[in-house]
Amino acid sequence: MKKIEQFMAEVINKNPGEKEFHQAVKEVAESVMPVIEANPKYEKAKVLERMVEPERVIIFRVPWQDDKGEIHVNRGFRIQMNSAIGPYKGGLRLHPSVNLGVLKFLAFEQVFKNSLTTLPMGGAKGGSDFDPKGKSDSEVMRFCQSFMTELQKYIGPNTDVPAGDIGTGGREIGFMFGQYRRLRNEFTGVLTGKGLNWGGSLIRPEATGYGCVYFVQEMLKTKGESLKGKVCAVSGSGNVAQYTVEKLLELGAKVVTLSDSDGFIHDEDGIDLKELKCVLNIKNVKRGRIKECANEFKCKYYEKKKPWSVKCDIAFPSATQNEISGDDAKTLVKNGCIAVGEGANMPTTPEGIKVFQKAKILYAPGKAANAGGVATSGLEMSQNSMRLSWSREEVDSKLHDIMIKIHENCVRYGKEKSGYVNYVNGANIGGFVKVADAMIDQGVV
Ligand code: NDP
């Protein structure tokens, strides 16, 4: 434990104020330190010390004009964290809360997640403190074009392939892809999450949500359980939440909540497909608030509250980091929650994780449970390289197989003597070993 404290003191000293990054590094360090101690080659090669230092951090100015001609300046970032096992890969987040520490935590997590997918992808993350909410399509386009004008210098299909994340959906990827193509005069798989008729993959929009549900299905199987009839609380109402709900409904579960940053809706009878369609329309087309769905469904709406007080069997946090506090976790466990599948990245605080693990419930950390999104981005890259498209069934079946393999890997590295599977250790160690070995093979770089 002394070693971790010393290691963390150095990380904090070198990266002051980046609290989300410290949190993500500490969680991994706690899992992998025993492996490092048992394998002197990792210690000698200073693998973990190298892993916490990004290979490259790019920060740039993004000026753009709004519809009235007024000039705005945002900050753009790309954190190229680790490319030992493949080109950098990771999403672009557009949200006012974006800063260096948040993106470094996401890039760090991405390295382990991408390693777990079994595909050859390094880890990166990027984005801007630009808020697409309340902006016109033309304003979003001008921002995306300005952002890509600078970013294109540092990315490419064999170097770094960004994708979507919070605030970056199909519309934004389209504007960025258009600008890349225009500046570079090449049509290439430089971004994933593209539209279907310009290089996108079937199932990519669904992949993170579907994958998370597949992972939870595997966890439940270890207890002889299934999703049928299970009451599920989902947070968020964006890309990940929407397709989590779709797959849950298909598998016979009952979804009772959805949320956004203003509050959550609670539908005791369960959200059905018709209501989900309405959510998709309000969120993806009208770009409105979840509250409007409550009016349509005639269900309860709780302003500025999170859904974790609602009784459920399974929780799917699918909005943002640190959305389940220690107290939220206690409430979930008290109300009989048996499993948590993290669609979002690091949605549970360290205190919350301790509560879930102490209660020995099935707890799947985001870097394992939501890896289906980036895995399917990897499949999009393969299709782009081969210049062909796989069918919906083909991609879905590959995604399903990958999620099963990730689950097996977590069990392999995370099963304790008592039989309890510590999925946090499983994911961290499983992800670490492959990258660490590749780094050692490639010398001091
Ligand atoms: P979207 O932008 O599509 O949706 C985000 C949702 O989360 C919205 O409902 C949003 O509400 C809510 N939200 C965002 N920030 C906050 C906040 N600070 N407090 C409360 N609610 C918030 O993003 P995604 O669905 O793509 O991403 C959701 C999570 O999943 C993120 O953690 C992301 O990193 C992770 N993830 C996404 C992947 C993908 O393929 N898209 C892959 C792997 C992980 P509002 O509309 O009010 O902002």
Side-chain angles (χ1 to χ4, degrees):
M1 222 45 200
K2 179 103 192 292
K3 242 187 173 147
I4 292 175
E5 275 161 30
Q6 198 184 331
F7 175 76
M8 282 313 301
E10 282 165 24
V11 169
I12 292 166
N13 192 31
K14 240 182 162 177
N15 305 278
E18 298 174 2
K19 57 183 194 316
E20 292 87 358
F21 180 58
H22 306 158
Q23 182 183 334
V25 170
K26 187 159 185 247
E27 187 210 280
V28 169
E30 285 173 352
S31 294
V32 303
M33 210 54 102
V35 179
I36 293 175
E37 282 176 354
N39 294 277
K41 63 173 182 176
Y42 294 139
E43 190 146 24
K44 190 161 163 253
K46 294 247 166 44
V47 171
L48 194 58
E49 286 81 348
R50 282 196 270 160
M51 278 184 181
V52 296
E53 195 62 32
E55 288 177 9
R56 194 170 298 101
V57 173
I58 302 144
I59 303 183
F60 50 98
R61 178 207 295 165
V62 190
W64 58 279
Q65 267 182 313
D66 67 21
D67 289 343
K68 295 190 197 102
E70 196 180 321
I71 295 169
H72 300 263
V73 183
N74 284 100
R75 186 169 287 173
F77 301 87
R78 187 71 180 162
I79 317 295
Q80 297 180 331
M81 202 75 190
N82 195 308
S83 58
I85 62 165
Y88 304 109
K89 183 94 197 82
L92 296 170
R93 179 173 291 192
L94 300 182
H95 195 270
S97 64
V98 161
N99 59 41
L100 185 60
V102 166
L103 292 181
K104 276 172 71 178
F105 119 63
L106 288 162
F108 183 72
E109 293 262 305
Q110 197 80 46
V111 173
F112 300 87
K113 182 191 304 192
N114 293 4
S115 163
L116 281 172
T117 64
T118 70
L119 302 176
M121 297 182 290
K125 201 85 188 186
S128 172
D129 55 0
F130 171 79
D131 188 357
K133 247 184 265 156
K135 308 286 190 302
S136 70
D137 286 351
S138 312
E139 289 172 334
V140 171
M141 182 178 76
R142 285 194 289 277
F143 167 82
C144 288
Q145 291 179 338
S146 180
F147 182 80
M148 185 50 90
T149 300
E150 185 60 23
L151 185 68
Q152 56 90 20
K153 297 173 188 165
Y154 310 98
I155 62 174
N158 296 310
T159 312
D160 185 353
V161 183
D165 191 72
I166 291 179
T168 307
R171 174 182 64 169
E172 291 74 17
I173 292 290
F175 293 149
M176 290 182 197
F177 184 78
Q179 184 72 349
Y180 183 90
R181 192 172 52 74
R182 178 197 205 183
L183 292 169
R184 302 285 285 256
N185 194 25
E186 56 184 42
F187 193 108
T188 178
V190 69
L191 291 160
T192 56
K194 299 186 290 297
L196 274 184
N197 50 4
W198 42 279
S201 171
L202 286 158
I203 299 289
R204 176 59 190 93
E206 295 89 340
T208 308
Y210 280 18
C212 187
V213 175
Y214 293 149
F215 193 93
V216 169
Q217 230 183 351
E218 291 306 300
M219 290 204 300
L220 289 173
K221 271 193 209 159
T222 67
K223 302 273 177 204
E225 291 270 5
S226 81
L227 280 162
K228 200 158 179 51
K230 295 284 183 305
V231 176
C232 301
V234 178
S235 69
S237 48
N239 172 268
V240 178
Q242 292 168 9
Y243 290 103
T244 296
V245 175
E246 186 177 277
K247 186 51 82 178
L248 285 173
L249 295 186
E250 190 187 313
L251 296 172
K254 181 173 166 183
V255 179
V256 291
T257 67
L258 276 170
S259 72
D260 63 20
S261 49
D262 290 337
F264 80 92
I265 57 167
H266 180 200
D267 188 342
E268 282 172 51
D269 301 328
I271 292 162
D272 61 20
L273 270 178
K274 203 169 122 241
E275 290 171 340
L276 179 62
K277 224 171 136 194
C278 171
V279 173
L280 262 67
N281 185 42
I282 286 178
K283 283 290 169 185
N284 306 352
V285 182
K286 289 196 194 155
R287 301 188 185 271
R289 311 306 303 153
I290 198 74
K291 188 180 180 175
E292 297 163 42
C293 302
N295 300 340
E296 296 249 351
F297 310 168
K298 313 244 173 310
C299 68
K300 289 180 200 142
Y301 173 71
Y302 297 88
E303 185 87 21
K304 289 288 163 218
K305 292 253 168 33
K306 296 180 284 181
W308 313 126
S309 56
V310 171
K311 190 170 161 46
C312 66
D313 300 310
I314 308 174
F316 287 91
S318 312
T320 193
Q321 64 268 13
N322 292 328
E323 55 170 311
I324 298 185
S325 66
D327 285 342
D328 293 330
K330 280 184 197 151
T331 308
L332 281 164
V333 170
K334 194 177 81 195
N335 284 339
C337 177
I338 59 162
V340 178
E342 293 188 340
N345 284 309
M346 207 168 77
T348 310
T349 60
E351 298 75 34
I353 296 176
K354 279 198 193 106
V355 172
F356 292 146
Q357 292 187 329
K358 196 164 162 233
K360 300 262 188 280
I361 69 165
L362 298 165
Y363 165 67
K367 60 170 84 70
N370 70 36
V374 72
T376 308
S377 277
L379 301 178
E380 183 174 327
M381 287 166 73
S382 303
Q383 293 169 80
N384 290 164
S385 300
M386 294 190 284
R387 299 198 189 282
L388 50 77
S389 310
W390 293 326
S391 69
R392 194 179 160 83
E393 292 70 30
E394 241 174 317
V395 182
D396 194 24
S397 134
K398 285 186 204 303
L399 165 66
H400 203 157
D401 284 349
I402 288 171
M403 296 316 295
I404 292 172
K405 284 202 192 97
I406 296 175
H407 182 266
E408 283 169 1
N409 218 7
C410 288
V411 172
R412 175 175 167 210
Y413 287 105
K415 196 164 193 166
E416 296 177 352
K417 283 200 186 97
S418 64
Y420 172 69
V421 181
N422 182 327
Y423 285 92
V424 174
N425 283 346
N428 288 337
I429 298 169
F432 170 83
V433 169
K434 184 173 165 190
V435 179
D437 289 345
M439 288 172 76
I440 291 177
D441 290 346
Q442 293 171 32
V444 184
V445 290

